[in-house]
Amino acid sequence: MNCRLVSISGPRKGGEFELRADGSTAGRDPGNAIVLDHLSVSRRHCLIWRNGESWSIRDLDSRNGTIVNQVPVKERELRHGDEVVIGDCVFLFVSQTDARPEMAGVEPQQTRTIVRAEESRYLAAGEMRKELESSSAGRLTEIARNLERLLAASVSLQAAQGVEALTQGVLESALELTPGSRAVMWWSDGGWPEQRFHAGRERGVGAVEAPAPLLRLLEQLVEERAAMISETAGARIATAPVLAFGELRGGVAVECMAGGAPLQPEHLQVLAALAGVAGPLLDHALQMEWLEAENRRLQAASVCEHGMVGESAAMRALYEKIQRVAPADSTVLIRGESGVGKELVARAVHAGSPRAGKPFLAINCATLSETLLESELFGHEKGAFTGAIAQKKGKIEAAAGGSLFLDEVSEMAPVLQAKLLRVLQEREFERVGGTRPIRAEVRFLAASNRDLEDAVERGEFRRDLYYRLNVIPLVLPPLRERREDIPLLASFFLGRFAAKTGRKVRGISAAARTYLLHYDWPGNVRELENAMERAVVLGSGESVMAEDLPETILEAVAAPAELEPARYHEALNRAKRELILTAIAECGGSHAGAAKLLGLHPNYLSRLIRNLRIKAQK
């Protein structure tokens, strides 16, 4: 199998390189079989070798990568006509045993037939009338057959859902209506800068990558806005522009293998008609996809209006999941560390649901005793217990038609866990001291900052209740895992507290921002909110300075030396470390003794040791 690389663009344009079956390396080093002396090429860039009956290419960890048909690859099989890019050198892979033409040039050598839209008999009623009046019986039969096939293709394309299905339908129809062996299509969404997409299909194979040389030729030919049959290096190719309301939106081409059935002018007429049908349908499909994307964006934006701030990838994924979860009526379990904003997520789920116009009630299961929590949840009848002087509705009943948020549900007593399980299973409950069942017309949203799976294993939380609550899990990442959101959150809180206190605060200094970005925020968003409130209240300048931040942040973060305002705090931290280490040494390693010697509370000393990272040096 004699194969070669033909250079069609770049520093080695016009050159040809024979490929050895045992492997040919390409690179800048003189020891390569294919020497490409150019700075864009690595010393050993890639390897091409015969792999059984086929050929393969492998990138050798090059600096700029190896690209096949406009796609970066690590390793893949090569096919005749593939475009291979090595640095700035563009090649065509040529297999002489393959029947397909090389397609190396981008200029058609000969144009055989040209059909413009106004001349297409299947698109222009006047042209069809002339053809019918002058045609023989056999010709009329052929026209009728083509019209029937075009009608079937049109019906099929109109039923296609989405741009991808439509383009594959166009390519499949193009192969059915012509003797082509493979077809390609490109289209643009009309955006700026203009984006072009492409697809390919091969007879008997299905969807394939669109060969780059054929695509380049197609893009060049359809610029004339006319369908044509062209020849280049022995290949016969029919191309047709895809027009939508007079605007060029793309093109479709079919390629015939050498020695196969030839492309006839009638095939071009049919292909032009197919492209004419596809144009408005493609425009409509692109508009629908844009509208759906815009709708998703607006829905996500409406979710963000309910208090959540963040543009990181993790938060965008959370917004998208909330958008999908909110319309359902399923129970949602919100997981995350303390202070990440679990109640805000619960409110966003409620606001995006059909229950948005009904009550949203929240109850913290960790702040109430078992008796009070039971009364708060289920309500009680008059005289149910001492002090029950009147009937009281519980949160489940009061939230009828809306949502009930159970915060820190893991702290619920075992008896109440069993009662809540029954409500989730049977959707009914009884007031304390009552005998009449009441329907629970409420959506349950629960949250916990504990590892519920671990609590289940330790017997502290009912396994069956866990499964009932964990129908749809939502996990909020801690602030340290989405640091890109910290400046946005800090500015948000800064604006809120500046307006509340009447202070004019212009922004956050570079030094303060550095501390904020490098602190781990064990208290998450709540801790950041408190830090910004403190900075606004205690600060005196127009910007938040590093010294306005809490000492816990200044002590825990090593100050960058290039920031002048931070050097004071770094020096102060060094002095604290030396003082604490000296006191611990004088007390024989006793932290309690060191705290007494320094006049500090032992808990405060422990926090200093942890924040200053000197625990291991005691």
Side-chain angles (χ1 to χ4, degrees):
M1 183 182 293
N2 190 11
C3 297
R4 65 188 188 278
L5 286 182
V6 179
S7 179
I8 60 175
S9 179
R12 299 303 302 270
K13 182 177 181 179
E16 293 190 11
F17 300 91
E18 293 288 337
L19 300 174
R20 300 200 308 259
D22 60 345
S24 300
T25 58
R28 200 171 71 246
D29 194 285
N32 291 287
I34 303 173
V35 179
L36 305 173
D37 190 13
H38 195 267
L39 291 177
S40 63
V41 181
S42 297
R43 293 186 180 278
R44 294 184 76 252
H45 200 104
C46 62
L47 168 68
I48 304 174
W49 79 102
R50 184 174 175 178
N51 189 7
E53 295 300 318
S54 61
W55 287 76
S56 297
I57 186 169
R58 177 187 299 148
D59 182 71
L60 300 177
D61 297 323
S62 63
R63 183 176 67 253
N64 293 324
T66 302
I67 301 172
V68 178
N69 294 335
Q70 303 177 6
V71 178
V73 299
K74 182 61 180 176
E75 182 176 320
R76 64 159 285 170
E77 182 180 325
L78 289 175
R79 301 181 63 184
H80 181 80
D82 281 346
E83 181 185 77
V84 179
V85 179
I86 304 172
D88 289 344
C89 305
V90 183
F91 298 91
L92 199 73
F93 176 72
V94 178
S95 170
Q96 292 184 351
T97 61
D98 199 307
R100 288 197 175 93
E102 292 183 17
M103 293 292 300
V106 296
E107 295 290 339
Q109 297 177 353
Q110 179 183 0
T111 299
R112 303 180 59 190
T113 308
I114 296 179
V115 176
R116 301 194 179 277
E118 61 272 15
E119 302 169 346
S120 172
R121 68 175 63 99
Y122 294 103
L123 293 177
E127 295 296 323
M128 175 58 74
R129 187 180 301 109
K130 294 177 186 178
E131 184 71 19
L132 293 175
E133 291 173 352
S134 61
S135 296
S136 63
R139 176 74 180 124
L140 290 174
T141 302
E142 181 184 11
I143 293 175
R145 184 171 61 252
N146 286 338
L147 283 171
E148 182 181 4
R149 295 162 70 192
L150 280 170
L151 177 61
S154 177
V155 171
S156 175
L157 294 179
Q158 291 184 58
Q161 298 291 323
V163 175
E164 183 177 352
L166 177 65
T167 54
Q168 286 299 325
V170 171
L171 295 175
E172 185 176 1
S173 297
L175 293 177
E176 291 176 355
L177 295 168
T178 68
S181 57
R182 62 180 173 181
V184 298
M185 181 175 176
W186 73 264
W187 68 95
S188 168
D189 63 0
W192 188 92
E194 185 180 20
Q195 295 188 33
R196 294 196 172 188
F197 307 89
H198 50 80
R201 195 172 186 88
E202 189 167 334
R203 189 182 297 277
V205 177
V208 295
E209 289 184 9
L214 185 56
L215 275 172
R216 286 202 305 272
L217 182 61
L218 172 60
E219 290 185 2
Q220 174 193 340
L221 293 178
V222 298
E223 289 295 336
E224 298 187 29
R225 301 194 176 206
M228 62 182 70
I229 294 178
S230 308
E231 288 189 6
T232 178
R236 294 185 180 87
I237 303 161
T239 58
V242 176
L243 302 172
F245 311 105
E247 296 293 328
L248 180 65
R249 301 304 296 271
V252 60
V254 293
E255 175 194 5
C256 282
M257 294 175 60
L263 285 166
Q264 301 293 344
E266 184 65 16
H267 296 138
L268 190 62
Q269 291 278 357
V270 174
L271 185 65
L274 177 66
V277 170
L281 295 176
L282 176 64
D283 187 74
H284 178 264
L286 288 169
Q287 288 190 40
M288 287 301 297
E289 287 198 351
W290 180 85
L291 288 172
E292 290 171 359
E294 185 68 5
N295 185 46
R296 289 193 296 269
R297 186 190 68 79
L298 290 173
Q299 287 182 338
S302 69
V303 168
C304 296
E305 291 174 2
H306 298 285
M308 287 186 291
V309 177
E311 294 295 335
S312 63
M315 290 305 291
R316 289 198 302 269
L318 177 64
Y319 299 153
E320 185 176 342
K321 195 167 185 179
I322 291 173
Q323 176 191 336
R324 296 198 304 268
V325 168
D329 212 28
S330 306
T331 303
V332 177
L333 180 60
I334 306 168
R335 309 284 290 275
E337 296 179 4
S338 179
V340 293
K342 295 185 286 294
E343 184 170 341
L344 288 177
V345 173
R347 290 184 180 275
V349 171
H350 172 75
S353 73
R355 298 174 176 267
K358 299 294 182 178
F360 174 89
L361 300 181
I363 185 169
N364 191 317
C365 302
T367 59
L368 300 174
S369 66
E370 179 181 339
T371 303
L372 286 176
L373 181 58
E374 182 179 19
S375 176
E376 282 294 309
L377 280 174
F378 305 108
H380 60 257
E381 298 289 354
K382 180 180 179 180
F385 50 83
T386 303
I389 59 175
Q391 183 192 76
K392 176 187 175 182
K393 290 184 178 181
K395 289 287 197 299
I396 297 176
E397 192 173 355
S403 303
L404 178 61
F405 176 53
L406 303 175
D407 197 9
E408 304 301 343
V409 70
S410 57
E411 306 304 314
M412 189 176 286
V415 173
L416 292 184
Q417 290 181 29
K419 291 189 175 184
L420 178 60
L421 176 63
R422 182 176 182 276
V423 176
L424 292 171
Q425 288 177 333
E426 306 299 333
R427 289 291 163 175
E428 63 179 26
F429 65 98
E430 296 176 1
R431 298 193 190 104
V432 177
T435 57
R436 181 176 61 87
I438 303 171
R439 188 70 182 166
E441 298 289 349
V442 64
R443 182 183 190 179
F444 286 94
L445 309 172
S448 175
N449 61 7
R450 291 180 58 190
D451 186 340
L452 284 179
E453 292 86 351
D454 185 56
V456 168
E457 293 301 321
R458 293 200 307 269
E460 298 174 358
F461 198 78
R462 292 182 65 106
R463 187 181 301 273
D464 45 7
L465 178 57
Y466 168 71
Y467 291 133
R468 283 288 181 181
L469 292 173
N470 196 38
V471 177
I472 298 179
L474 290 178
V475 180
L476 275 76
L479 195 53
R480 62 182 172 275
E481 293 181 7
R482 53 181 184 105
R483 294 184 186 273
E484 57 267 47
D485 288 335
I486 292 175
L488 190 63
L489 282 161
S491 297
F492 173 78
F493 292 133
L494 180 65
R496 174 195 288 178
F497 293 120
K500 186 177 180 179
T501 59
R503 275 201 59 205
K504 291 184 178 180
V505 185
R506 187 174 56 193
I508 303 171
S509 69
R513 187 178 293 108
T514 299
Y515 276 104
L516 295 175
L517 284 170
H518 288 83
Y519 184 55
D520 277 345
W521 300 105
N524 292 291
V525 179
R526 185 183 295 120
E527 185 181 6
L528 175 59
E529 180 180 9
N530 294 340
M532 297 313 298
E533 183 177 9
R534 177 188 189 278
V536 170
V537 172
L538 298 182
S540 56
E542 292 187 351
S543 297
V544 172
M545 309 302 291
E547 52 266 31
D548 298 330
L549 299 177
E551 288 187 0
T552 52
I553 298 176
L554 302 178
E555 292 169 354
V557 177
E562 68 270 15
L563 296 177
E564 290 294 336
R567 292 179 180 173
Y568 163 77
H569 299 288
E570 182 62 21
L572 184 61
N573 287 343
R574 283 198 301 269
K576 288 181 180 180
R577 291 188 190 99
E578 293 174 4
L579 187 62
I580 292 172
L581 288 171
T582 300
I584 292 175
E586 290 180 2
C587 295
S590 170
H591 285 193
K596 185 176 181 180
L597 181 63
L598 294 170
L600 301 176
H601 191 281
N603 291 341
Y604 181 62
L605 178 61
S606 297
R607 182 169 66 80
L608 284 175
I609 291 173
R610 183 173 62 254
N611 289 340
L612 294 171
R613 295 183 174 87
I614 58 176
K615 188 174 182 180
Q617 304 176 32
K618 62 183 179 180

